[in-house]
Amino acid sequence: MAGPGDREHPKPNLEQPGPLQPEHTAEGGSAAEFSQEREEDKLSVCSKLCYGIGGAPNQVAGSATSFFLQIYLLDIAQIPPFHASWVQFIGKVMGAAADPVACFFINKSQWTKIGQLMPWLLGCIPFLVVSYFFLWYLPPFRLGRVAWYLTFYCLFQALYTFFQVPYSALTMFLTSDQKQRDSATAYRMAFEILGTLVGATLQGQIVAGAHTSDRCSYNHTMDRFSSSRLQESNSTILDPSHGQKVYMVAAGAIGGIYLLGFAALFFGVKEKVDPYALTADQRVPFLKGHMLALKHQPYVKLVAAFLLISTAVQVEQGNFVLFCTHAAGFHSHFQNLVLTILVSAVVSIPFWQWFLQRLGKKTAASGILWMIPFTIMLVTIPNLILAYVVAFVSGLSIAASMLLPWSMLPDVVDQFRVQNPHSTGHETIFYSSYVFFTKITAGIGLGVSSSSLDFAGYKPGACRQSSSVMVMLKILVGAVPSVLIPLGLFILLFYPIDEKSRKETKHALENLRKNHPSIENISEKEEKASF
């Protein structure tokens, strides 16, 4: 015999979504009450702003490491390229390994007065700031520097993950309305790209002098020094003690941004109980949840497509400063080129949000292709004016590549909810798995790029690099994105969720919410009954 808590809930019908027009809910609630619930799903502009601001610091730090860690390890810490490649690869792997660990413990944690996800964000912040600060510290010893940077980069990546997983999954617990979630995601992406802009600009302006020392300027009247001799020069770009000071100043500034951003998130955002959780719901087991996610075809295709695209972007970002410094001769302009890329990305977010709402998310993905012809032109014709044009167009494409996966992932989670109406806790599984695979592929990409520079003969701290290094930088910045991005977009052609299926899923979830009591509604009724 079935107990009172074991009643069966019919699976929502996707075949006939239809408009929701019943006068009363299954629990006796009126349509007016349901309409009031829908009003409560709307997010205020202040909440969206605070949510976006909360994620910006992670992107500030991530941008600084993406653009400057490679050149810092090679030219300031003067670590051989092969060792630098292992630092970056193992660090990314450690960050990726932290994703399922974070997901496991978050799913096991209990709801508190400030929510289930917010305590994890609160606990990560102090350790995250400390690990980031020491990542840019130049230790006085030389023999153990590789171990030093490997340790703190691994810690930073792991803590970065323990912050990013609950923060990204928080999107599903702000509201149940798809348009409101898309709007919140757009705010988040705008501030994350703005954070990327602030990180690259702040770091670039502070440390720019460290990479444009007068000791590396070449007097063209002294023709008796051949170019080959300059390429073999072992003179360093700057005094390491000077480099340490400017990088530490930048690290301290970014640490302060972390604290300000989290304060906005903590005091400005309210985490809500899952509105679709049924009375008989059970939290999906950790391993079973990952297996279900990996069997969900829309998720697999979305992840596969954006793994290739994000790896291309990571490789280009990681080698762009090196390319401008050593291959293109733009060493005095690289910080302005980075600034152009990121300003373009920030200002284009509203355009991409409008574009995907009008023409669909899959159609908007074609904008990622725009950067390829311009990048190829840059590596073949290293002209300064062309470089700024390429930087602007690249920013447009990078904005699309950052906004789309996080805008499409909630659609995948919603569809999974419709197909599995009695499971809960799967949100963090989907988000953490996506970040896990992204970090693994990014680590492989950055590790391979650093090893390629080592193979080409890159000399840490040298004022001039050989022609083979210049060719390798052109391949990494131009050829790699030109191959990986089209492959990713080809896979995305088979992504099955379109605007029609999104509307069907929306109606099915509304039926599910209206016809069955949620945990949130039950708790409210129990509170009213107690008075």
Side-chain angles (χ1 to χ4, degrees):
M1 296 180 63
D6 296 329
R7 58 180 179 173
E8 292 189 4
H9 302 276
K11 188 173 181 179
N13 185 8
L14 281 177
E15 299 295 330
Q16 299 176 345
L20 298 175
Q21 297 177 337
E23 297 182 357
H24 298 277
T25 65
E27 297 297 317
S30 65
E33 290 175 347
F34 183 70
S35 177
Q36 183 178 1
E37 290 179 4
R38 293 299 305 278
E39 287 295 323
E40 293 175 355
D41 285 338
K42 292 184 178 180
L43 294 174
S44 67
V45 173
C46 181
S47 294
K48 296 175 186 178
L49 285 171
C50 289
Y51 178 60
I53 292 171
N58 239 15
Q59 301 307 313
V60 172
S63 173
T65 54
S66 294
F67 281 107
F68 292 95
L69 183 61
Q70 177 124 303
I71 197 169
Y72 172 82
L73 294 176
L74 295 176
D75 288 347
I76 307 300
Q78 297 183 12
I79 293 175
F82 180 75
H83 293 159
S85 70
W86 279 105
V87 169
Q88 294 180 89
F89 172 70
I90 296 176
K92 287 289 186 180
V93 169
M94 181 61 67
D99 279 287
V101 176
C103 178
F104 176 81
F105 285 108
I106 290 171
N107 275 348
K108 291 292 183 180
S109 60
Q110 299 298 318
W111 184 268
T112 67
K113 292 182 179 180
I114 60 174
Q116 182 183 10
L117 304 176
M118 196 65 75
W120 290 94
L121 301 174
L122 178 63
C124 283
I125 282 296
F127 301 102
L128 188 56
V129 172
V130 171
S131 65
Y132 181 80
F133 184 80
F134 281 107
L135 175 62
W136 302 100
Y137 176 72
L138 186 68
F141 49 84
R142 181 176 289 272
L143 185 61
R145 282 184 183 175
V146 174
W148 174 277
Y149 291 112
L150 179 61
T151 298
F152 283 103
Y153 190 51
C154 287
L155 282 174
F156 170 71
Q157 286 292 331
L159 292 166
Y160 182 100
T161 296
F162 267 83
F163 184 94
Q164 193 67 22
V165 168
Y167 171 75
S168 57
L170 189 60
T171 308
M172 302 300 298
F173 297 94
L174 297 176
T175 176
S176 59
D177 187 86
Q178 285 184 351
K179 289 186 177 180
Q180 292 294 311
R181 279 207 309 259
D182 285 347
S183 179
T185 300
Y187 274 80
R188 172 192 162 194
M189 288 297 103
F191 275 97
E192 288 194 349
I193 296 178
L194 181 62
T196 304
L197 168 63
V198 171
T201 304
L202 183 66
Q203 186 95 353
Q205 296 298 327
I206 293 175
V207 308
H211 301 287
T212 58
S213 174
D214 292 338
R215 288 192 300 159
C216 281
S217 61
Y218 173 60
N219 187 345
H220 292 280
T221 62
M222 300 174 64
D223 290 335
R224 63 181 180 274
F225 293 102
S226 66
S227 60
S228 60
R229 182 173 179 180
L230 284 170
Q231 291 170 0
E232 294 171 1
S233 171
N234 288 322
S235 61
T236 58
I237 291 179
L238 74 159
D239 182 0
S241 62
H242 172 66
Q244 176 188 7
K245 292 176 183 178
V246 295
Y247 272 96
M248 291 299 290
V249 169
I254 292 175
I257 292 174
Y258 258 118
L259 299 178
L260 293 175
F262 178 74
L265 179 67
F266 185 78
F267 293 107
V269 174
K270 180 183 178 182
E271 179 183 349
K272 298 180 181 178
V273 179
D274 182 2
Y276 297 121
L278 307 182
T279 56
D281 274 357
Q282 292 185 352
R283 188 165 292 274
V284 62
F286 179 72
L287 293 178
K288 181 181 178 181
H290 278 82
M291 293 301 297
L292 289 174
L294 294 178
K295 291 179 180 178
H296 193 54
Q297 287 301 311
Y299 181 68
V300 172
K301 292 172 182 177
L302 179 69
V303 170
F306 280 99
L307 285 186
L308 294 170
I309 294 170
S310 63
T311 301
V313 173
Q314 286 277 342
V315 170
E316 182 173 13
Q317 285 183 341
N319 293 280
F320 185 76
V321 175
L322 284 171
F323 170 79
C324 291
T325 302
H326 296 298
F330 304 147
H331 60 274
S332 60
H333 293 271
F334 73 81
Q335 66 269 31
N336 294 327
L337 289 168
V338 171
L339 180 63
T340 302
I341 291 174
L342 298 175
V343 167
S344 171
V346 171
V347 300
S348 65
I349 283 291
F351 164 75
W352 287 119
Q353 180 67 13
W354 171 86
F355 192 96
L356 63 86
Q357 287 181 345
R358 291 296 181 92
L359 300 178
K361 299 178 181 180
K362 289 177 68 174
T363 305
S366 61
I368 304 173
L369 281 171
W370 294 354
M371 65 184 293
I372 293 178
F374 291 94
T375 304
I376 294 174
M377 290 173 63
L378 177 63
V379 298
T380 54
I381 310 172
N383 178 273
L384 184 59
I385 296 177
L386 177 61
Y388 278 99
V389 175
V390 171
F392 178 80
V393 177
S394 295
L396 299 177
S397 298
I398 289 172
S401 70
M402 293 182 68
L403 175 63
L404 284 170
W406 296 111
S407 180
M408 298 166 82
L409 194 54
D411 300 334
V412 174
V413 176
D414 280 346
Q415 191 186 77
F416 182 85
R417 160 64 81 182
V418 170
Q419 296 177 1
N420 300 271
H422 295 282
S423 70
T424 186
H426 55 274
E427 295 86 2
T428 51
I429 292 176
F430 278 96
Y431 278 83
S432 66
S433 297
Y434 174 75
V435 178
F436 170 80
F437 290 119
T438 301
K439 288 188 175 181
I440 284 289
T441 53
I444 293 173
L446 291 174
V448 170
S449 68
S450 295
S451 298
S452 300
L453 292 175
D454 185 51
F455 176 78
Y458 187 94
K459 294 183 179 180
C463 295
R464 300 289 188 274
Q465 299 294 337
S466 65
S467 58
S468 60
V469 171
M470 297 179 187
V471 171
M472 183 58 67
L473 287 170
K474 291 179 180 180
I475 292 173
L476 293 173
V477 172
V480 171
S482 300
V483 173
L484 295 183
I485 290 176
L487 284 176
L489 293 177
F490 177 75
I491 295 174
L492 201 61
L493 291 175
F494 302 97
Y495 176 70
I497 299 179
D498 53 19
E499 296 309 303
K500 180 182 178 181
S501 61
R502 284 184 73 223
K503 291 179 180 178
E504 292 174 348
T505 300
K506 177 183 177 180
H507 285 300
L509 287 174
E510 287 174 344
N511 280 319
L512 177 68
R513 184 185 183 192
K514 197 172 71 145
N515 294 327
H516 304 290
S518 70
I519 293 174
E520 186 177 20
N521 293 336
I522 288 176
S523 62
E524 289 177 355
K525 290 178 181 179
E526 288 177 349
E527 288 179 2
K528 292 179 181 178
S530 64
F531 287 102

